[in-house]
Amino acid sequence: MRNRLPLFLVKVFYYEYWPFWLFFLPLVPYWLYLAIKCRSLTFFTAANPGIKHGGVFGESKMDILDQLNPKFLPKTALIKRGENWTAVIQMMEKLNLNFPIILKPNIGERGADVAKVIDQQGLVDYVREADYDFIIQEFVGFPIELGVLYYRYPNTGQTGISSIVQKEFLQIEGDGRSTLKALVFKSERAKLQWDNIKLKFGERLQDVLPKGEKLELEPIGNHCKGTKFLSGMDLIDNDLVKVFDEVAAGSDDFYYGRFDLKVSSVEDLRKGENIRVMEFNGVTSEPGHVYDPKLNLLVAYRDVIRGLNIMAEISRQNMKRGVAVTPAMELLREIKTHFGRKRQPTNTETKLKAKTVLAK
């Protein structure tokens, strides 16, 4: 039924496609209630003393990774703005990294400028356009990608997991008759990414995909890039919490946030083996499982509120322990500066996307 609806109606009736601000707008009164309870408009900035502003925005991904248990990290290095591409190659050699690799801004949100680079020319293109510090990271080929929202109460040390989302990457499957373009328009999720897909595939849109052959349209697991988010709440148990106690063991200053990771299998996840954490995101981490198409809006808001309550209690406990919050006016000024920068799509993004597709 959803596939037969016009795109604008899909975006209206199914909240997983709502803009970020629209989904969270009804929760503003509850957030104000929590602010009053915590006696601070910026209470959330105290949740993670080890992350700038608690992880609202502007935090260094590399600084955070450096504080996590190295056992669970992929090979990663920070490249400073202005470095020549040859310096990146030298770093790859030092880390024993081969293509493909992942490149992403050291400070960034929602998958902006994250790229899977498959060869040296793609690396050269990325470095030429990058006007920011960026991270070079091993591409992890494990088949399962998860977002695990983990918390730890400062006063008691009690830990838990409030959300697990499993990511299903945007792809189409050939039927031996239809062109790539036709297959895209048969898929609700792919249709919504048409502008990006058109840039990535170009002339290949008229190719016919063999029956049963699957083609990944987007290698980056962000919801805004078409990835389907599926609830993994059934995976949560005490044993899994212990696994993430070990993952988080490298720092005493992280209390609330989401591990974005890949793992080889559910069995290995439960054993704490073959796990690679690509990022840790702080207080703005969403309980991604709420975007599962099978859930309804009331359940989604219930689970978001549960997460807000946990984060607020952690912040309140940290504030009582002497952790300072970011003053409201200071945070507002930094928000205006950070998000006031107008980002234009670069030629590099289009080139990299096209090269990734053509290599498959």
Side-chain angles (χ1 to χ4, degrees), residues 45-338:
T45 61
N48 295 307
I51 307 177
K52 181 180 180 180
H53 305 315
V56 179
F57 68 92
E59 68 272 18
S60 164
K61 298 181 189 297
M62 196 67 204
D63 285 351
I64 294 172
L65 290 175
D66 283 343
Q67 298 181 63
L68 297 178
N69 190 333
K71 171 184 174 181
F72 300 101
L73 300 180
K75 297 173 184 177
T76 307
L78 177 66
I79 306 297
K80 288 292 187 178
R81 175 184 178 183
E83 286 279 16
N84 190 281
W85 68 269
T86 57
V88 184
I89 293 293
Q90 291 171 359
M91 181 59 72
M92 289 180 63
E93 292 173 351
K94 180 179 179 181
L95 295 176
N96 195 25
L97 274 180
N98 298 311
F99 291 106
I101 56 174
I102 297 295
L103 300 178
K104 54 188 169 183
N106 185 41
I107 298 174
E109 298 86 21
R110 304 185 76 79
D113 290 317
V114 179
K116 178 183 177 183
V117 176
I118 63 172
D119 59 20
Q120 183 170 300
Q121 186 56 53
L123 174 63
V124 171
D125 291 340
Y126 190 97
V127 173
R128 182 182 296 124
E129 296 286 343
D131 60 349
Y132 43 77
D133 295 351
F134 63 91
I135 288 173
I136 176 174
Q137 193 170 74
E138 171 188 6
F139 174 73
V140 180
F142 293 154
I144 300 174
E145 182 163 339
L146 302 172
V148 178
L149 195 51
Y150 172 87
Y151 62 88
R152 175 165 56 94
Y153 288 110
N155 288 355
T156 64
Q158 176 190 346
T159 59
I161 296 171
S162 61
S163 172
I164 296 183
V165 60
Q166 183 166 348
K167 302 178 181 182
E168 184 180 286
F169 289 84
L170 185 63
Q171 65 178 13
I172 52 176
E173 182 174 340
D175 58 11
R177 303 183 307 274
S178 304
T179 64
L180 297 187
K181 181 177 180 179
L183 291 172
V184 166
F185 277 89
K186 289 180 182 178
S187 165
E188 166 200 306
R189 199 166 296 273
K191 279 192 297 185
L192 290 165
Q193 299 296 319
W194 170 243
D195 288 341
N196 290 331
I197 291 170
K198 183 168 55 175
L199 289 174
K200 291 164 87 173
F201 284 86
E203 295 179 359
R204 285 201 61 192
L205 289 169
Q206 299 307 316
D207 292 352
V208 174
L209 200 63
K211 185 175 182 179
E213 182 176 323
K214 295 181 179 180
L215 178 64
E216 186 175 83
L217 302 176
E218 174 56 61
I220 307 301
N222 288 87
H223 193 260
C224 61
K225 293 178 179 283
T227 301
K228 182 187 284 187
F229 280 14
L230 303 172
S231 176
M233 298 295 282
D234 59 309
L235 298 175
I236 300 175
D237 59 23
N238 290 334
D239 290 336
L240 191 61
V241 172
K242 291 178 182 177
V243 169
F244 281 89
D245 289 342
E246 185 181 1
V247 173
S251 175
D252 294 328
D253 290 327
F254 299 171
Y255 294 95
Y256 185 87
R258 188 187 68 241
F259 293 100
D260 290 332
L261 60 96
K262 284 189 174 182
V263 64
S264 55
S265 67
V266 172
E267 292 74 21
D268 280 352
L269 178 70
R270 294 194 180 282
K271 292 188 291 185
E273 299 176 355
N274 294 318
I275 296 172
R276 295 294 180 270
V277 175
M278 286 87 73
E279 288 188 15
F280 177 85
N281 298 282
V283 292
T284 53
S285 300
E286 301 168 73
H289 76 277
V290 303
Y291 297 111
D292 189 318
K294 294 180 181 177
L295 298 184
N296 63 60
L297 188 58
L298 290 179
V299 171
Y301 280 142
R302 179 201 67 189
D303 289 356
V304 170
I305 287 173
R306 176 174 178 251
L308 288 174
N309 285 334
I310 293 171
M311 184 266 290
E313 178 58 23
I314 288 170
S315 300
R316 189 187 66 80
Q317 290 183 15
N318 273 334
M319 290 163 67
K320 284 194 171 183
R321 294 168 62 237
V323 175
V325 299
T326 304
M329 292 307 297
E330 177 184 335
L331 187 63
L332 183 60
R333 283 194 299 269
E334 292 204 26
I335 287 174
K336 287 182 177 180
T337 301
H338 183 78

